[in-house]
Amino acid sequence: MNQQATKPASTALDDDRVRQLSPLRKLMSRPEFGALAGTVLVFAIFGLSAGGSGMFSAEGIINWSTVAAYLGVLAVGAALLMIAGEFDLSVGSMIGFGGMLFAIPALYWGWPIWLSAIFTFGVALCLGWLNGWIVVRTGLPSFIVTLAFFFILRGLSLAVSVIFTGKTILSTHGDLVLRDMIAHDPLISFLFHGYTLTGLFDALARAGMLAVRDDGRALAIGLPKAVLWWLALTAAGAFVLARTRVGNWIQAIGGDANAAKNVGIPVARVKIGLFMLMAFCATVFAILQVADAGSAAADRGLQKEFEAIIAAVIGGCLLTGGYGSVIGAAFGALIFGMVQIGIGYTSIDNNWYRVFLGLMLLVAVLFNNFIRTRFAQGKR
């Protein structure tokens, strides 16, 4: 009787569906595993080929982390949108358009710079809403809708700048200097301009831990505001995706939008909200870039939509939706930054940069497909 009573329990323990997975298998099943492995590999490659060139000095790290941060800001929105099964190809054009929206009112209309920033975010969010509304209202592929906006916004950037200013690159007008206006505005300067932790960097330089300028300050000025935006948006996106009901909705919509709608998930609202988030990220990128360069240009943001998608795919996001990671997209952006700047620290021709990115994309897609197929079949 006792043997018969314990038999079902033994069978349950041996059931393949409830077996315990090793920590390694749990790690490999994570969508960001491929990007993490790729990051370690890139670190190893550049550590061997450029370890003594200054790439991993404080100023070298700041250089490539800044490049990664700019792309990482876009990768957060791109990853969440892709997990929901959608794309936004208007991102690059939105960057150029946003920069002009930010600069023209301040330089030519007499607006305070903080009001120009609010105006830019407002217009961008409306455009993001329009993108999402058209997609959910018509059922057209987001690829087609946002490709149309890609051309519309790029054309508007050029047309608006020429109509109102006669120029396509804006930095000054009369006595007004865009860089000075940004630096002297407390709100915009705090959020988008310059560096932070400069005092800490200088203290480390005085202690002999960082390279020093002739005036005694640290050669690495501080942490760029773009890096802070990247970290903040990545943390927020990862939290939403992993810990909130909205995150579950995003993954469910990407898996099967009709099924998600049938169980009461507000599919239209979530998708429109994600398109607005993507527009927000593009505007943050645009204003950070204008603040850093001290100018706005109508042709900025070229190919950034593709780079953001590649970073998200390297980070484990599927092109078909329903699966992905914001943390993985951050690692994908980090790989971009390291390769783009790291090649300059080696003897490798910079023309190989795009070749490497294409190979990384192909390897990431193949690896993610292999891992998902293997674990879906329950292989050990």
Side-chain angles (χ1 to χ4, degrees):
M1 187 72 175
N2 291 337
Q3 292 179 349
Q4 292 178 350
T6 58
K7 187 174 182 180
S10 176
T11 301
L13 291 174
D14 294 337
D15 193 337
D16 186 66
R17 293 171 298 178
V18 295
R19 72 181 188 277
Q20 294 294 319
L21 297 178
S22 66
L24 178 60
R25 283 179 57 82
K26 290 181 179 179
L27 176 62
M28 290 183 64
S29 66
R30 297 287 302 172
E32 61 268 17
F33 174 75
L36 176 59
T39 302
V40 173
L41 177 62
V42 170
F43 262 103
I45 291 173
F46 283 109
L48 294 174
S49 61
S53 64
M55 179 179 174
F56 294 100
S57 64
E59 55 272 20
I61 293 173
I62 292 297
N63 286 338
W64 50 259
S65 65
T66 301
V67 174
Y70 274 99
L71 181 58
V73 167
L74 300 179
V76 172
L80 290 172
L81 197 56
M82 287 180 64
I83 294 170
E86 304 292 350
F87 297 92
D88 190 345
L89 297 183
S90 67
V91 172
S93 298
M94 180 73 76
I95 292 170
F97 187 59
M100 302 310 288
L101 288 177
F102 180 57
I104 290 174
L107 290 175
Y108 289 85
W109 300 350
W111 291 17
I113 199 73
W114 62 266
L115 184 58
S116 291
I118 294 175
F119 172 71
T120 304
F121 276 108
V123 173
L125 290 174
C126 289
L127 290 170
W129 177 89
L130 183 59
N131 261 336
W133 182 83
I134 293 174
V135 169
V136 300
R137 185 71 174 178
T138 64
L140 290 171
S142 56
F143 176 90
I144 299 298
V145 174
T146 58
L147 182 61
F149 273 89
F150 168 86
F151 290 105
I152 291 170
L153 294 178
R154 186 63 72 190
L156 280 175
S157 299
L158 294 167
V160 168
S161 62
V162 170
I163 290 171
F164 285 102
T165 71
K167 299 182 289 185
T168 58
I169 300 177
L170 308 178
S171 59
T172 62
H173 179 63
D175 296 332
L176 298 177
V177 179
L178 187 59
R179 184 187 296 275
D180 292 343
M181 295 177 71
I182 294 171
H184 294 155
D185 185 279
L187 178 62
I188 302 304
S189 178
F190 174 75
L191 291 175
F192 299 102
H193 180 257
Y195 298 81
T196 187
L197 300 180
T198 54
L200 175 61
F201 277 62
D202 289 342
L204 292 175
R206 289 192 295 270
M209 300 176 66
L210 295 179
V212 184
R213 299 172 184 265
D214 293 337
D215 60 1
R217 299 178 61 190
L219 185 59
I221 300 175
L223 199 64
K225 296 292 176 64
V227 175
L228 297 183
W229 274 102
W230 177 34
L231 295 176
L233 288 173
T234 298
F239 177 81
V240 168
L241 189 63
R243 301 293 182 181
T244 69
R245 181 173 58 178
V246 174
N248 292 332
W249 288 352
I250 292 171
Q251 296 181 73
I253 291 169
D256 190 331
N258 289 328
K261 185 176 182 180
N262 291 336
V263 297
I265 294 176
V267 174
R269 278 191 295 160
V270 171
K271 285 191 176 184
I272 291 173
L274 291 175
F275 277 103
M276 294 176 70
L277 173 64
M278 189 72 256
F280 175 85
C281 292
T283 307
V284 169
F285 184 110
I287 295 180
L288 284 168
Q289 192 175 61
V290 171
D292 180 57
S295 64
D299 62 349
R300 285 200 181 137
L302 292 175
Q303 297 186 343
K304 290 303 176 184
E305 59 280 337
F306 299 110
E307 292 182 3
I309 291 173
I310 292 173
V313 171
I314 292 174
C317 295
L318 292 181
L319 297 174
T320 53
Y323 186 81
S325 166
V326 174
I327 299 296
F331 279 118
L334 184 60
I335 291 173
F336 264 76
M338 291 188 65
V339 174
Q340 185 172 342
I341 300 299
I343 285 180
Y345 286 93
T346 68
S347 58
I348 302 174
D349 190 333
N350 284 332
N351 292 325
W352 289 98
Y353 168 64
R354 299 292 176 186
V355 176
F356 179 86
L357 293 183
L359 290 174
M360 282 294 299
L361 174 62
L362 181 60
V363 170
V365 171
L366 293 174
F367 180 81
N368 292 337
N369 183 67
F370 169 76
I371 291 296
R372 288 188 71 253
T373 302
R374 184 177 180 87
F375 281 87
Q377 295 173 350
K379 294 183 179 180
R380 293 182 183 276

